[in-house]
Structure formats: structure tokens, C-alpha cells
Amino acid sequence: MIEERTPTSSSSPGISRGPGDLSPIAFNEVASQENTRLSSGIAEFDRVLGGGIVPGSLILIGGDPGIGKSTLLLQVANLLQRQESTVLYVSGEESEKQIKMRGDRLGMQPTKLFLLTETCLERILECINQLAPQIIILDSVQTVYSDKLPSAPGSISQVREVATQFLFLSKHRSIPTFLIGHITKDGSLAGPKALEHIVDTVLYFEGERYHSHRIVRTVKNRFGAANELGVFEMTNEGLVPVENPSKLFLAERPKGAAGSVVICCVEGSRPLLVELQALVSGTSYVSPRRMAAGVDPNRVSLMLAMLEKRLGLHLLSSDVYVNVAGGLNVDEPSADLGIVAAVVSSYRNLAVNPSTVIFGEVGLAGEVRGVSQALLRIREAASLGFKKCLLPRNSLPLSHLESEIELIAIESVQESFDVLFN
Ligand code: TYD
Ligand code: MG
């Protein structure tokens, strides 16, 4: 339990146009700002922001420690200052020398990038007043504290106060502001989750530190599609955008192994081919183990129950493990058919043809339901040289130009097995 005292003076001025200005403004009189998005210089980063940086937006970037948040934003800062914007990088975690060292490693020589190592909110705001930067980066929101609150840096009330002050600043002066936030496993530091409703855009680094690639996902975006995804690779020269993520995710696929299938999911506006693996083996536990990484474990349980009841598979005496290779999280229902196919493939020890792509939602009656954006998925599969595509009958496009890929439309799970395992 942590005591939280209410501050006596109200310190959050909100985002009004100015104190005392209470009159509403006519909708038509508000200036449109659609074409004023600023490109960050990294296409993959612009993509997750919905096409570029919107003036006056407050963007939160969360992720595990060491995943590359500071690296990415330092690269972005460097590219932005090249476009004649003054960028202020406030760090509460590293000294100027350390940031410079990283910058040297990344081979950058910025002239309009300014560093400030400071953790006191009031002093940071004062510095912003003097420098008048066009872009602000705060690394990290958890290290900054306000004098006005008695609680420790990183506590919920401090983090909220800091974010609110930056919200006011960015809206009022139209300065795009990036806040970095750590996601911590223990609850001692207030996570970025507490800020999601305050900021305009929330980006999270996904996947594991141990993979060389990094996935940045849009969780919320007031100025673009949510669920948009950017793929980067951590190299010696920092984060490099990955041109063809599907190729990367399929790179180490064991061709012809039972239990491995390729599915096509759509994340935001991007189709992605990923390998889904299942392992079914005899259990030595009283209740068999079910484990899923990268897909929703509840969804896997549903599929297993369906297989048991509708197709008579005896999975009760087997452990079932399902994994998405490459550390990607797939929460789209179109992965259902892939899960089912991978489980059955491992159960029967029969490999699925490695040049087949599978997608479709599966219902509890064993029916295969249509999914959105089928054509996009088919095109992606065809462009990577896949020869067959198993898809729901309802999603079969009326016309498609990729004649090199054979489309097999199915209506039930049983039908898909006849195609896959015969
Ligand atoms: P960092 O951006 O400091 O992580 P965060 O700010 O999210 O805590 O990234 C640190 C990791 O990135 C560290 O393990 C080293 C690695 N790294 C590279 O592999 N190449 C590079 O060019 C840089 C700058 C970092
Ligand atoms: Mg950092």
C-alpha cells in the first residue's frame, strides 16, 4: 500500500486554448492539419505512427528494459534534426557522455540535437521554455518527478502528473512529444499502462530481447490505425527497418516437419506470413499440459475442445504446445485454422506441404468462417512463392490475378484435413 496525498493546488491546466478562454470554437473554424505530418525519416516508424508525426501529438513508447527504446528514439531524433527541427532529448537515465557514446556508435553527427540530463519536471519545463524545441523526447517518464508532489519518482501520481504536464505542453505549443516508459514486471514502478488514456498514441516494443528483430506495435492511435506493426532488426548500427518481415519470420522454418504450418495474418494494414508450430505428445501429468506462446491460450483450448468433440481426436492423454516462431503475437482469429492444422499434423505425425499457406477462423461446430482482407493475404503468400492457399469458402475472392497460387476453398475443418493430409 502506498499513500497518495492529493496536492492542494490544482496543477493540471488541461488542454484549453488559454486561461479564461471559455468560448467554444466553431467546427469549421478549426484549422485542418491533415497534410502536416512530419516524416520521421524511418518508413517503418512512420507506419506505426499512422503515416508520420502529427504536430502536437503525445506519443508513448513502452517496452522492456534493454529492448531498444532509447536507441530508436535517438535515431529518430537524429533524422528529425536533419530536417531543420530543433530536437531536445531529455534523459533521466543516462549522462550526456553515455548518450553521445551511443550516438557515435550509430554514426550520427547531429547539429540541432540538444541533450538535457535532468529529472526535475519544473526545471525541464524551464529549459524547454528557453530552448523552444520543435520536438521533445523524454527518456523515461518514470525517472522524472515534480516538486509539487510528495511521492517518489515513478509512482503513479508522479508519472501521471509528468504525462499531463507534457500533454498540456504539446497541445498548447504544438510540439510533438515522445515519452519513453518502461514496462516492469514488479509493480514498484508505475507502468506505461497507467498513461494509455492520457496520450494520443501508444507504441509497444513486442517480442523478446533475445531475438535480433524488434517489433513495434501500435496499441492505440488517435491519428491512425491501431495494431499497425513495424519490424526492425537490432544491428551494430542500431535499429534497421526490415524490408520483408514475412521472409524474416519464415527464415528458419523446418520444411516438411510435422506440426509446422504457415499462416497469414494481417496486422494493421500489413499482411504477415508466420510459422505456427504445435507439438502433441503423451502426457505424464494427471491433467495434460496446454501451453501457448504467441497465440491466445484460450483460443487454443477452444480449438482442442472442438477437435476432441467434432473430430474424435483423443487429446486428453496428450500435452499440447503451440508456438508462433519468431516471437510475434498473433491474436487474429484467422490463425484458428492454422492452430488446428498444426495440432492435427503433430498428432498424426504427418507433415503439411511446406508450400501451403493456411488461414481461416474456426467455429465450435468445426466450420471454417470467412476472414477479412483475403486478397491481401493471398498476394503476400504468392509473392513469397507459396503454391497453395487454404482459405474459407466465404473469403474466396471473385477474381484474383495471382494465377501461380492455387486457391483451395473449404467450409469445414474436416474438409481441410482431407486436403492437407492426403
Ligand atoms: P536501449 O535502446 O538502451 O534499450 P532501452 O532504452 O529500451 O532500455 O538498447 C540497449 C540494447 O541495444 C543493448 O542491449 C545494446 C543494443 N544495441 C545494439 O545492439 N546495437 C546498437 O547500435 C545499440 C545502440 C544498442
Ligand atoms: Mg533506455
Side-chain angles (χ1 to χ4, degrees), residues 317-361:
S317 53
S318 306
D319 292 335
V320 179
Y321 305 92
V322 179
N323 182 36
V324 176
L328 188 77
N329 280 329
V330 180
D331 37 18
E332 237 202 329
S334 75
D336 290 355
L337 193 58
I339 298 173
V340 169
V343 167
V344 174
S345 162
S346 175
Y347 178 81
R348 295 196 187 160
N349 215 9
L350 285 173
V352 171
N353 183 341
S355 57
T356 304
V357 167
I358 301 169
F359 63 85
E361 184 180 342

Side-chain angles (χ1 to χ4, degrees), residues 92-372:
E93 305 198 328
E94 291 160 296
S95 67
E96 287 102 344
K97 286 211 180 71
Q98 286 170 319
I99 301 171
K100 174 90 167 51
M101 233 167 77
R102 172 178 297 149
D104 289 343
R105 188 174 163 185
L106 297 172
M108 47 191 250
Q109 283 156 339
T111 49
K112 300 191 78 181
L113 171 62
F114 293 85
L115 305 178
L116 174 72
T117 44
E118 177 61 68
T119 52
C120 174
L121 176 67
E122 283 71 24
R123 280 205 288 260
I124 294 171
L125 294 179
E126 203 182 302
C127 168
I128 291 170
N129 266 336
Q130 286 170 10
L131 183 71
Q134 272 107 39
I135 310 234
I136 302 170
I137 295 167
L138 183 67
D139 185 5
S140 69
V141 67
Q142 278 124 339
T143 50
V144 177
Y145 69 95
S146 164
D147 275 346
K148 296 202 186 86
L149 300 182
S151 45
S155 64
I156 286 269
S157 45
Q158 284 286 9
V159 167
R160 224 182 261 149
E161 170 71 11
V162 172
T164 313
Q165 289 293 335
F166 275 96
L167 175 77
F168 173 55
L169 185 87
S170 67
K171 299 289 164 215
H172 205 64
R173 300 203 205 156
S174 218
I175 309 175
T177 306
F178 295 90
L179 305 177
I180 293 180
H182 292 289
I183 303 174
T184 43
K185 303 226 157 47
D186 68 321
S188 62
L189 287 180
K193 287 272 169 210
L195 301 180
E196 279 184 1
H197 65 284
I198 301 178
V199 301
D200 296 313
T201 303
V202 181
L203 308 178
Y204 278 118
F205 270 89
E206 199 173 88
E208 291 154 41
R209 245 185 320 159
Y210 309 104
H211 290 291
S212 70
H213 61 268
R214 304 279 189 272
I215 297 156
V216 179
R217 194 190 283 271
T218 318
V219 174
K220 159 186 172 177
N221 195 355
R222 287 188 180 141
F223 315 113
N227 241 359
E228 207 63 74
L229 196 126
V231 185
F232 297 89
E233 188 158 8
M234 184 59 99
T235 67
N236 284 337
E237 283 96 46
L239 287 161
V240 179
V242 173
E243 301 248 307
N244 193 334
S246 295
K247 215 167 167 177
L248 175 92
F249 287 122
L250 296 180
E252 290 168 272
R253 179 164 63 108
K255 287 192 181 145
S260 158
V261 300
V262 176
I263 60 169
C264 190
C265 50
V266 174
E267 301 292 340
S269 58
R270 156 179 270 169
L272 269 183
L273 295 173
V274 283
E275 186 201 349
L276 201 134
Q277 298 180 319
L279 186 73
V280 180
S281 66
T283 186
S284 49
Y285 298 93
V286 179
S287 56
R289 292 200 68 184
R290 271 82 180 101
M291 224 198 73
V295 284
D296 181 9
N298 293 329
R299 205 72 209 164
V300 173
S301 297
L302 279 181
M303 291 303 121
L304 296 182
M306 185 280 299
L307 283 173
E308 183 104 29
K309 174 91 181 171
R310 305 281 167 199
L311 291 133
L313 258 67
H314 296 291
L315 293 164
L316 266 183
S317 53
S318 306
D319 292 335
V320 179
Y321 305 92
V322 179
N323 182 36
V324 176
L328 188 77
N329 280 329
V330 180
D331 37 18
E332 237 202 329
S334 75
D336 290 355
L337 193 58
I339 298 173
V340 169
V343 167
V344 174
S345 162
S346 175
Y347 178 81
R348 295 196 187 160
N349 215 9
L350 285 173
V352 171
N353 183 341
S355 57
T356 304
V357 167
I358 301 169
F359 63 85
E361 184 180 342
V362 174
L364 288 186
E367 83 278 21
V368 175
R369 294 162 174 252
V371 298
S372 61

